[in-house]
Amino acid sequence: MVKSTTAPPRRADALDALRGFAVLAMVLSGVIPRQVLPAWMYHAQVPPPIHTFNPDLPGLTWVDLVFPLFLFSMGAAIPLALSRRLAKGWGKIKIILSILKRGFLLGVFAIFLQHIRPFSLSQKPTPQTWTVALLGFFILFLMFVRWSKSWVPWLRRVMTLGGWVVGVIFLWQLSNSDVIEFSWERSDIILIVLTNIAVFSSIIWLFSQSNWWLRLGLLGCLLALRLSSNSEGWIAQLWSTSPVPWIFRFDYLKYLFIAIPGTIAGDLINSWLKSIYLEEIEKNSWKNYRFFSIFILTITILLTLLTGLQARWIWETTLISLALCLGGLFLLKNPSSATEKLIHYLYKFGIYWIIIGLLFEPYEGGIKKDPSTVSYYFISTGLAILLLINFTIIINVFQKKSWLQLLIDNGMNPMIAYTGFANLVWPILALSNLDQVIEEMTSTPIKGFFRGLAYTLVVAFIVSFLTKKKIFWRT
């Protein structure tokens, strides 16, 4: 057990990189051209060429992994953030209030954002639509930016309050001008789910910070609820109802299957950060070729699962994955340094979830993101851990942080990255008519993909610039 009573001395760069990777992959998945690319470039349940949702179609693509990667990284960040508050002497009541405040701010962000999305405003955006979307971005900036600490506190509070007043007036004017009708039900579903998981996983960690078994036990109860919700009875009724459905549904809690393992990984990272801080020079007993072999192994496991589950080679994929996962244990024997122990424990934790996920794969008609299956939660959790291991190796073992700096910067500022294309880059391109010129120049499938990649990189560099200037959006 790991009890987090003191704050870690610095940020976990690999975790920031994982979060940045997830949010930029979200951007990319939303801007690549539809209809023309292979099926593995889209959600498995929305295949080309017509992209009609088919809930009975199993499979797993890289696009399906994006959301759980973000959920996992959010869960892993909770022990780091809350342990700092505990170290500052915050009581549990004060921390709970801060958790609820964060949930409120995330919920408001989800509702406001959906009301200013270009295609929420109009299915055929006009110059007015793009202007409203762009104005909405700058209003969000005023509402959520973290003002410089060099300013006096009262000025920071006045600026933030002013941003919120402008935001309320802006939405009110939009509703009165018939541009869009305000509704509490109109919200970004991804952010609403994140809101629920952020609140519940934070509170769960707060009351079980020294007891992993309690957290895993709660997952057992959650699994019972999740499975029973598919049969008639009071659990099914509870699962489908909510006192405030626009912000909370019991069904959202199924994503705790990803976030709670994330909090355990966060505990391991928290302890590791404190350990390497106490060591003047960390000496790894493993040679570089061994770390490189672990890196290649985890990538191989990831590609095997993505390829095999999408192609529906189930028993072959299961056998190969099990052999790779268990064989990898020989590469992680006898860890001595803090980093080696972190990778060792993360790897065993990750393959545990992958193996459980593979055993659940035939259940519910095969792995699916939507409606999400039990195997989806567990396999995506395991793959998130493997990616975290790889980023740790690159940054902390090979000392190549600069290779991932763009991901790290975006992971430190995910809210701007999430909104940056649809409400900043795209409106600017549309209002200047550059979007039409670019689309005409990139009309083929391959060129269309690289157009999407270029758009994603533009967002990434904008966010990186703001991060370097210490301009953050915070909830």
Side-chain angles (χ1 to χ4, degrees), residues 19 38 73 83 116 143 167 260 341 343 354 381:
R19 190 186 303 109
S73 61
S83 64
I116 61 169
M143 293 170 66
I260 288 181
K341 290 176 182 178
I343 293 172
I354 288 173
T381 296

Side-chain angles (χ1 to χ4, degrees), residues 24-34 37 42 62 421-422 425-426 439 447-457 459:
L24 290 178
M26 283 186 194
V27 175
L28 178 60
S29 67
V31 298
I32 56 177
R34 294 172 66 84
L37 296 174
Y42 308 97
W62 69 269
F421 180 75
V425 175
W426 203 358
E439 286 187 17
K447 289 181 179 179
F449 169 76
F450 282 104
R451 177 187 70 223
L453 185 61
Y455 285 161
T456 304
L457 287 174
V459 172

Side-chain angles (χ1 to χ4, degrees), residues 174-194:
L174 286 181
S175 298
N176 285 346
S177 61
D178 296 326
V179 174
I180 191 171
E181 182 180 353
F182 177 82
S183 171
W184 294 104
E185 300 288 342
R186 181 178 286 113
S187 59
D188 184 302
I189 185 59
I190 291 176
L191 292 176
I192 289 295
V193 171
L194 289 175

Side-chain angles (χ1 to χ4, degrees), residues 237-252:
Q237 294 176 355
L238 175 68
W239 205 252
S240 61
T241 58
S242 170
V244 280
W246 58 272
I247 192 66
F248 166 76
R249 293 178 184 174
F250 285 101
D251 181 59
Y252 296 156

Side-chain angles (χ1 to χ4, degrees), residues 108-394:
V108 170
F109 188 87
I111 294 169
F112 190 98
L113 181 61
Q114 195 65 17
H115 282 79
I116 61 169
R117 289 286 197 189
F119 284 90
S120 291
L121 294 166
S122 173
Q123 290 299 310
K124 295 181 178 180
T126 63
Q128 180 191 19
T129 304
W130 295 115
T131 301
V132 169
L134 188 59
L135 284 173
F137 176 85
F138 289 110
I139 291 172
L140 278 175
F141 188 96
L142 294 174
M143 293 170 66
F144 290 97
V145 71
R146 186 175 69 188
W147 301 106
S148 173
K149 291 185 178 180
S150 63
W151 296 8
V152 292
W154 68 264
L155 181 57
R156 296 201 301 266
R157 287 193 288 268
V158 167
M159 292 293 292
T160 300
L161 179 60
W164 280 73
V165 171
V166 171
V168 171
I169 294 173
F170 185 71
L171 284 185
W172 181 72
Q173 289 286 353
L174 286 181
S175 298
N176 285 346
S177 61
D178 296 326
V179 174
I180 191 171
E181 182 180 353
F182 177 82
S183 171
W184 294 104
E185 300 288 342
R186 181 178 286 113
S187 59
D188 184 302
I189 185 59
I190 291 176
L191 292 176
I192 289 295
V193 171
L194 289 175
T195 299
N196 282 265
I197 299 306
V199 170
F200 281 93
S201 54
S202 296
I203 292 174
I204 288 170
W205 180 87
L206 184 62
F207 288 96
S208 65
Q209 56 186 288
S210 59
N211 193 338
W212 291 356
W213 289 113
L214 177 57
R215 266 176 269 171
L216 292 173
L218 287 173
L219 283 186
C221 295
L222 182 63
L223 181 61
L225 290 170
R226 166 68 175 75
L227 298 181
S228 295
S229 68
N230 294 325
S231 302
E232 292 185 4
W234 68 271
I235 292 179
Q237 294 176 355
L238 175 68
W239 205 252
S240 61
T241 58
S242 170
V244 280
W246 58 272
I247 192 66
F248 166 76
R249 293 178 184 174
F250 285 101
D251 181 59
Y252 296 156
L253 299 183
K254 61 192 179 185
Y255 292 107
L256 288 171
F257 284 121
I258 301 170
I260 288 181
T263 64
I264 295 176
D267 283 331
L268 291 170
I269 293 170
N270 200 29
S271 294
W272 166 72
L273 285 171
K274 289 182 285 187
S275 296
I276 61 175
Y277 178 73
L278 295 174
E279 296 180 15
E280 293 184 5
I281 299 177
E282 186 183 39
K283 295 181 179 180
N284 294 319
S285 63
W286 298 349
K287 302 298 183 183
N288 276 355
Y289 72 83
R290 190 167 172 184
F291 285 109
F292 184 72
S293 299
I294 295 168
F295 181 91
I296 295 300
L297 172 69
T298 54
I299 292 295
T300 303
I301 294 171
L302 187 149
L303 293 178
T304 298
L305 287 167
L306 286 178
T307 303
L309 294 177
Q310 179 64 13
R312 308 310 298 153
W313 302 326
I314 303 305
W315 70 266
E316 298 94 336
T317 301
T318 301
L319 289 179
I320 293 172
S321 298
L322 286 174
L324 289 170
C325 288
L326 297 176
L329 292 173
F330 290 97
L331 286 173
L332 289 107
K333 290 193 302 182
N334 304 320
S336 60
S337 71
T339 299
E340 290 170 356
K341 290 176 182 178
L342 174 69
I343 293 172
H344 173 84
Y345 291 126
L346 284 177
Y347 182 82
K348 291 198 294 187
F349 194 48
I351 65 171
Y352 168 78
W353 294 113
I354 288 173
I355 291 171
I356 290 181
L358 286 171
L359 295 177
F360 265 112
E361 206 286 335
Y363 181 65
E364 299 177 298
I367 190 169
K368 303 185 192 77
K369 175 186 179 294
D370 194 13
S372 53
T373 60
V374 174
S375 60
Y376 174 72
Y377 311 135
F378 295 151
I379 289 176
S380 61
T381 296
L383 293 179
I385 294 172
L386 296 189
L387 280 174
L388 180 61
I389 289 172
N390 280 355
F391 290 149
T392 301
I393 290 173
I394 292 172

